[in-house]
Amino acid sequence: MTTDSLRSGPGANGRTSGDRARLPVREHLPACGPAAASGVPVLDVVVPVYNEEKDLRPCVLRLHDHLSRTFPYAFRITVADNASTDSTPAVAAALAAELRGVRYVRLEEKGRGRALRAVWSESDAPVLAYMDVDLSTDLNALLPLVAPLISGHSDLAIGSRLARSARVVRGSKREFISRAYNLILRSSLAAGFSDAQCGFKAVRSEVAERLLPMVEDSGWFFDTELLVLAERAGLRIHEVPVDWIDDPDSTVHIVRTATEDLKGVWRVGRALAVGALPLDRLARPFGDDPRDRALTGVERGLARQLVGFCVVGVLSTLFYLALYSLFRLGVGPQLANGGALLVSAVANTAANRRLTFGVRGRDGAVRHQAQGLVVFAIGLALTSGSLAALGAATGSPSHSTELAVLITANLAATVLRFLLLRAWVFPARACPEPEPEPEPDSEPDSDSEDVR
């Protein structure tokens, strides 16, 4: 089976790639039902390999034995061969023939991300996972990893070697690289998860279906990109502290992998900054979050928006004052004020759109900027009027006096600006009322289908 055959046609659930509605409400996967009766596994564990003829058989035997003894649901182990050139294909084919619930997939191109994308896109299991072939992570963490996904508690789960209670045995070099990389993710992409590189992760299939088309990387940065996008979309990521022993025979090329990872960080950061990713596809429907049901008829989010507006306001005011001082070197106070206020207003609207009011993507961006310019005109009238009044009163005011008056005028316009942005430019969308549950028919229609 090749990558092309895995990607062609509709997915296992019958939907084509064009069907990109928002995520459904998370539900606890049933322990038994039509899927179980038909032999569809609840968990599909992918083991991506490249030239692993030595480690593949003991890995799969150990994993299969562990799942058979401890996992209470049906499972499948998929060996994804990344174009191996040794006897790995023969070993994998023999394991698939020997063990029930083991299958072998051959891909003609290298890349861990490419293998995971191909197998996960084709899998019919509701929970998808992967682990490295060296089994550095203790398998006792596997059930805690996937349990929150089965129960409907979380969307993704990762094993963490950097969690407080994790127990890790590895050299200082790899320890430093791992911590440095995760520090870069936290500082540049504001990542909240602790360990992006641990080869021990799982995701619910409906989340993977929406996420995979957005992930560009096909190598080692694949799962980092997956996690960053999921976190930015507000999905829940569960972390499991793991026991982990470094594999001294690992074939990972550290320098090349680190370089590709840094390129990926730059690419994803740039895409997030310009709103190029349709993260709204990953949103859960109203009612999935318990905070949706906490209050009825009460507008919420005011405190968070005020904090965001104040932070953006402070930064844009500093930016405005710096621009005014720069423009004032060559032009009069009115032109300097107008130019500085115009440039800072465009930046302020863009920042508030993304950070304060959580509007992502490019839809409506032009309209929002046009409305923001109307708000700018009000601020311009207030500040320009203040400067005109100052000039009429004192004749030739000092630069420090001009700045003091401008700061006062901007503070006066800030409250009005926030109200206009919140009520007119970025109004809160009304949440639809939940539809009432249909009454059960006394005589069920024999032609109706169970959409569940």
Side-chain angles (χ1 to χ4, degrees):
M1 185 178 296
T2 65
T3 304
D4 292 337
S5 66
L6 285 169
R7 290 184 178 177
S8 61
N13 55 12
R15 289 179 289 183
T16 63
S17 59
D19 183 10
R20 295 300 180 194
R22 289 190 172 190
L23 290 169
V25 176
R26 286 192 303 259
E27 294 182 351
H28 196 302
L29 299 177
C32 57
S38 63
V40 176
V42 170
L43 173 66
D44 193 348
V45 183
V46 182
V47 182
V49 293
Y50 173 72
N51 288 350
E52 296 287 355
E53 58 184 2
K54 176 182 177 182
D55 294 333
L56 178 57
R57 182 173 180 82
C59 162
V60 173
L61 289 177
R62 179 181 165 195
L63 176 60
H64 188 273
D65 175 69
H66 178 85
L67 288 171
S68 299
R69 288 185 295 102
T70 66
F71 194 68
Y73 292 84
F75 66 87
R76 176 195 297 138
I77 300 171
T78 301
V79 179
D81 175 21
N82 287 286
S84 294
T85 57
D86 62 0
S87 61
T88 296
V91 175
L95 287 167
E98 175 184 344
L99 300 175
R100 181 179 182 181
V102 175
R103 67 168 179 161
Y104 164 56
V105 174
R106 168 75 177 183
L107 294 99
E108 299 303 330
E109 295 181 85
K110 291 175 62 176
R112 181 180 68 177
R114 180 178 287 107
L116 293 177
R117 183 198 309 276
V119 177
W120 282 356
S121 298
E122 181 265 351
S123 180
D124 54 357
V127 176
L128 311 169
Y130 94 89
M131 62 179 59
D132 293 335
V133 69
D134 56 18
L135 293 186
S136 295
T137 304
D138 186 81
L139 291 178
N140 286 329
L142 182 55
L143 184 55
L145 182 80
V146 300
L149 309 186
I150 293 174
S151 70
H153 174 272
S154 301
D155 298 291
L156 299 92
I158 65 173
S160 176
R161 299 162 297 183
L162 302 180
R164 186 178 300 275
S165 56
R167 295 178 292 189
V168 177
V169 178
R170 60 175 166 180
S172 57
K173 180 180 178 181
R174 286 183 176 271
E175 180 76 12
F176 173 78
I177 292 174
S178 180
R179 291 189 178 275
Y181 178 64
N182 284 281
L183 179 62
I184 291 173
L185 291 180
R186 288 176 178 271
S187 59
S188 61
L189 299 179
F193 45 87
S194 65
D195 191 351
Q197 294 178 308
C198 183
F200 196 69
K201 297 181 176 70
V203 59
R204 285 178 67 103
S205 60
E206 71 269 18
V207 176
E209 180 186 4
R210 305 298 197 276
L211 268 175
L212 293 179
M214 303 183 195
V215 179
E216 294 185 20
D217 192 82
S218 60
W220 291 96
F221 186 70
F222 170 86
D223 40 357
T224 298
E225 186 172 355
L226 190 84
L227 290 173
V228 170
L229 298 184
E231 186 176 59
R232 286 299 186 96
L235 301 184
R236 178 176 286 171
I237 300 175
H238 178 72
E239 295 197 15
V240 178
V242 297
D243 297 342
W244 196 87
I245 301 177
D246 191 14
D247 178 15
D249 299 324
S250 175
T251 58
V252 178
H253 193 288
I254 296 177
V255 175
R256 182 171 63 244
T257 301
T259 302
E260 294 301 319
D261 285 348
L262 292 177
K263 291 180 180 178
V265 170
W266 166 256
R267 174 177 53 78
V268 171
R270 182 176 57 185
L272 291 172
V274 300
L277 296 168
L279 298 179
D280 58 315
R281 294 178 184 172
L282 303 175
R284 292 288 181 182
F286 182 80
D288 182 74
D289 191 324
R291 292 172 296 183
D292 296 336
R293 304 184 294 273
L295 298 172
T296 57
V298 178
E299 193 172 7
R300 293 169 288 111
L302 177 60
R304 184 190 61 80
Q305 290 178 354
L306 277 173
V307 172
F309 179 79
C310 289
V311 172
V312 172
V314 169
L315 295 177
S316 62
T317 299
L318 295 175
F319 182 51
Y320 158 76
L321 293 175
L323 287 176
Y324 176 81
S325 298
L326 179 63
F327 294 162
R328 190 67 176 83
L329 297 176
V331 298
Q334 293 290 358
L335 286 178
N337 174 64
L341 199 57
L342 177 60
V343 175
S344 61
V346 172
N348 181 279
T349 300
N352 275 311
R353 181 178 187 269
R354 179 71 174 85
L355 302 176
T356 304
F357 299 100
V359 179
R360 300 184 177 93
R362 299 178 180 177
D363 292 343
V366 175
R367 175 174 56 84
H368 293 155
Q369 282 292 350
Q371 292 172 311
L373 289 178
V374 175
V375 178
F376 150 76
I378 296 174
L380 178 62
L382 287 173
T383 54
S384 296
S386 300
L387 282 175
L390 177 63
T394 62
S396 181
S398 65
H399 181 65
S400 60
T401 304
E402 287 181 354
L403 289 180
V405 170
L406 287 174
I407 291 173
T408 303
N410 270 285
L411 289 175
T414 297
V415 175
L416 181 59
R417 185 184 303 120
F418 176 75
L419 293 176
L420 286 174
L421 288 175
R422 192 170 195 264
W424 180 47
V425 183
F426 307 110
R429 290 171 293 182
C431 297
E433 292 293 331
E435 296 182 2
E437 292 289 335
E439 294 293 334
D441 296 333
S442 56
E443 297 181 1
D445 186 356
S446 60
D447 296 330
S448 63
E449 296 182 358
D450 184 2
V451 297
R452 296 184 181 178

